[in-house]
Amino acid sequence: MAENKELTFWDHLDELRRVLFRMIAVWFVLAVGYFIAMPYRFDSVILAPCHNNFIFYDLLREIGHTFNLTDEFFTQDFKVKLVNINLAAPFFIHMSTAFWMSVVTAMPYLFFEIWRFISPALYPNERKGVPKALTIGVLLGYFMVYPLTLRFLSTYQLSAEIENQISLNSYIDNFMMLVLCMGLAFELPLLTWLLSLLGLVNKSFLRKYRRHAIVVIVIAAAVITPTGDPFTLSVVAIPLYLLYEMSILMIKDKKAASS
C-alpha cells in the first residue's frame, strides 16, 4: 500500500496506458480468432437453439416424459428456419458476431484489469469470482433463457393469416443482446462490491431498498426476456434476486468498514 501512495499522477497514467494496451490486445486476438473460426462453428453454436435436438429442448422433453407431463411446453418439437433478405447481411453478421463473442469472452479479463488498477486490495478469491459469475450468466442465457425466448416468440401468432419468418439479422440481434445482458447481470455482486469500496453503497443501504430492488429486478427481467410467460421471467428474475442478496453478503456495513 505504501508503494501505491508513492506513485505520481504520471506513474498512474502510465500504468493505465499499459492496462488499456493489454485489454485491447486480448480483445483483438480473441476477435481475430472468432472471425477465423466462425464459419466452422456458426451452425453448431450460434444456430444450435434453432434445432429440435438442442440440449435444453431435450431436457424439457425428458422432464415431461419422466413426470408424465403432456403440456406442449414439455412435448413440443421445435425448429426455426431463418431467412436472409439483405445481400450484405451474412458478411456483416460474420464480423459483428465475432466481435461480440470476443467481447463476452474477454469480459472477465477486462473486469480483472480494471479492478486491479482501481483497487490494489483485490483478493485472489474475489478475482476468481469475476470469470465465474460472468460465465454462469452467459451459460444460463445461452442454454436456457434464449432458447425459451426464441421458442415463444417464433411460435407466437397474432393471426393465422400471418406466417412467421425470422430474419437472420433479427435472430442475431436478439441472441447477442440476451446472452451479453445475462452475462453482465451476473456481475451485480462484483459491481456492488466495487461501489462499496468507493463508499457509494453499504450493507444497510442495500437492505433498506430491498423492496425497490425487487421491482427493478422484475422490470429488468421483463426487458431481457420479452416473452411474457411467468416461467421465463422467473428463470431470469430469481437468479438476479439471489445475486442481489449475495451482494449484501459480500460487502461490509459502513461502521464495520470504517473500523
Side-chain angles (χ1 to χ4, degrees):
M1 298 296 295
E3 294 180 359
N4 293 335
K5 293 181 180 178
E6 295 175 358
L7 293 178
T8 66
F9 170 79
W10 297 109
D11 291 331
H12 283 293
L13 198 61
D14 189 56
E15 178 61 25
L16 177 61
R17 181 185 59 82
R18 287 194 291 267
V19 168
L20 292 175
F21 178 79
R22 289 196 298 267
M23 290 165 57
I24 293 173
V26 168
W27 165 78
F28 181 78
V29 170
L30 288 172
V32 171
Y34 279 119
F35 184 85
I36 295 172
M38 193 57 60
Y40 309 99
R41 289 291 176 261
F42 193 80
D43 291 353
S44 59
V45 178
I46 305 298
L47 298 185
C50 293
H51 303 294
N52 193 49
N53 61 353
F54 187 64
I55 184 171
F56 184 68
Y57 306 144
D58 287 338
L59 176 62
L60 289 179
R61 286 190 290 269
E62 184 64 29
I63 293 174
H65 177 74
T66 302
F67 296 98
N68 197 25
L69 302 173
T70 58
D71 186 84
E72 189 181 23
F73 181 80
F74 297 98
T75 60
Q76 179 183 19
D77 287 334
F78 176 75
K79 183 175 176 63
V80 170
K81 182 76 172 178
L82 302 179
V83 296
N84 176 44
I85 58 174
N86 188 324
L87 180 64
F91 174 72
F92 288 111
I93 285 175
H94 184 169
M95 291 195 300
S96 64
T97 304
F99 170 80
W100 287 113
M101 290 288 287
S102 66
V103 169
V104 171
T105 308
M107 197 66 70
Y109 178 76
L110 301 184
F111 274 115
F112 169 73
E113 285 287 0
I114 292 171
W115 286 342
R116 188 172 65 170
F117 176 77
I118 294 176
S119 176
L122 191 62
Y123 294 107
N125 62 319
E126 291 163 334
R127 294 173 188 170
K128 294 176 183 177
V130 177
K132 286 181 181 178
L134 185 69
T135 301
I136 292 173
V138 168
L139 292 179
L140 183 65
Y142 176 76
F143 283 104
M144 183 178 296
V145 179
Y146 183 73
L148 288 173
T149 303
L150 174 67
R151 197 169 75 163
F152 176 83
L153 294 178
S154 63
T155 57
Y156 182 84
Q157 280 192 309
L158 180 63
S159 169
E161 299 293 325
I162 303 174
E163 179 183 359
N164 286 342
Q165 288 189 325
I166 304 174
S167 71
L168 179 62
N169 282 322
S170 175
Y171 178 88
I172 294 297
D173 289 345
N174 283 275
F175 178 87
M176 289 300 170
M177 181 199 71
L178 197 146
V179 172
L180 184 61
C181 284
M182 285 300 298
L184 294 177
F186 270 68
E187 296 300 323
L188 177 61
L190 298 166
L191 176 62
T192 307
W193 174 82
L194 177 60
L195 293 176
S196 70
L197 285 182
L198 300 175
L200 299 178
V201 298
N202 55 64
K203 194 183 294 286
S204 299
F205 177 86
L206 296 178
R207 285 174 175 169
K208 179 181 179 181
Y209 290 98
R210 180 182 275 117
R211 293 181 180 178
H212 301 78
I214 293 175
V215 175
V216 173
I217 286 171
V218 172
I219 294 174
V223 172
I224 294 174
T225 59
T227 60
D229 64 286
F231 180 80
T232 310
L233 188 67
S234 301
V235 167
V236 178
I238 292 176
L240 290 180
Y241 174 70
L242 294 177
L243 289 170
Y244 184 83
E245 293 295 334
M246 187 184 301
S247 302
I248 297 177
L249 295 175
M250 282 183 62
I251 65 177
K252 296 179 181 181
D253 211 343
K254 194 171 183 180
K255 292 180 180 179
S258 61
S259 60

